[in-house]
Amino acid sequence: MKVIDVYKQYFAADCVYNTVKRNGVSVTLTATSDAGTVKYDVSVSFFPHVDDEDYAVSYDAYAEKEIYSSKGRRSKKREAELLKRFRDEADSLADSLGGKIFWDRPLIEARYG
């Protein structure tokens, strides 16, 4: 099984989860391929981010959703299409946790795999 983060980035955020204030969020589009099938998941994980050096992600404020699954393999064209709807999917997951992602305030540069 191959698991690859197609896209990952940290953004400023606003969330209170388990009575802890979260000021950052990690958003990820992950591809998993195995035995001739491929699936893509969107995940969000809110974390405290109390200063510019704090990137200690806590996985209690975490949500994930499978957005694509089919026979086949990774495709740059498919991934480009999935990235077009990525923010809407991530916002929906953030809402389910009571959080908000500030897309205009990245904490790190995007990483593509």
Side-chain angles (χ1 to χ4, degrees):
M1 178 183 317
K2 282 185 131 179
V3 178
I4 297 169
D5 288 341
V6 174
Y7 166 80
K8 183 169 188 153
Q9 192 166 10
Y10 294 178
F11 290 90
D14 182 33
C15 183
V16 175
Y17 195 85
N18 284 341
T19 70
V20 177
K21 176 79 169 130
R22 316 298 171 113
N23 300 308
V25 64
S26 168
V27 295
T28 310
L29 175 64
T30 304
T32 304
S33 60
D34 187 34
T37 62
V38 64
K39 74 173 190 155
Y40 291 88
D41 298 303
V42 172
S43 63
V44 299
S45 183
F46 288 93
F47 60 99
H49 192 63
V50 294
D51 61 48
D52 289 341
E53 302 295 316
D54 178 22
Y55 289 91
V57 176
S58 53
Y59 291 96
D60 61 338
Y62 176 86
E64 181 177 349
K65 178 182 177 186
E66 183 179 292
I67 61 169
Y68 181 89
S69 180
S70 181
K71 291 198 177 287
R73 56 185 174 192
R74 285 184 66 196
S75 157
K76 288 188 184 277
K77 182 178 177 182
R78 179 183 309 117
E79 289 173 2
E81 289 300 314
L82 293 174
L83 282 170
K84 286 181 184 176
R85 63 183 240 227
F86 176 81
R87 287 187 177 193
D88 290 337
E89 297 288 353
D91 282 336
S92 176
L93 291 172
D95 286 345
S96 75
L97 295 169
K100 172 142 180 67
I101 302 168
F102 299 116
W103 296 105
D104 59 338
R105 294 176 34 207
L107 300 176
I108 64 167
E109 295 295 317
R111 298 179 199 162
Y112 294 93

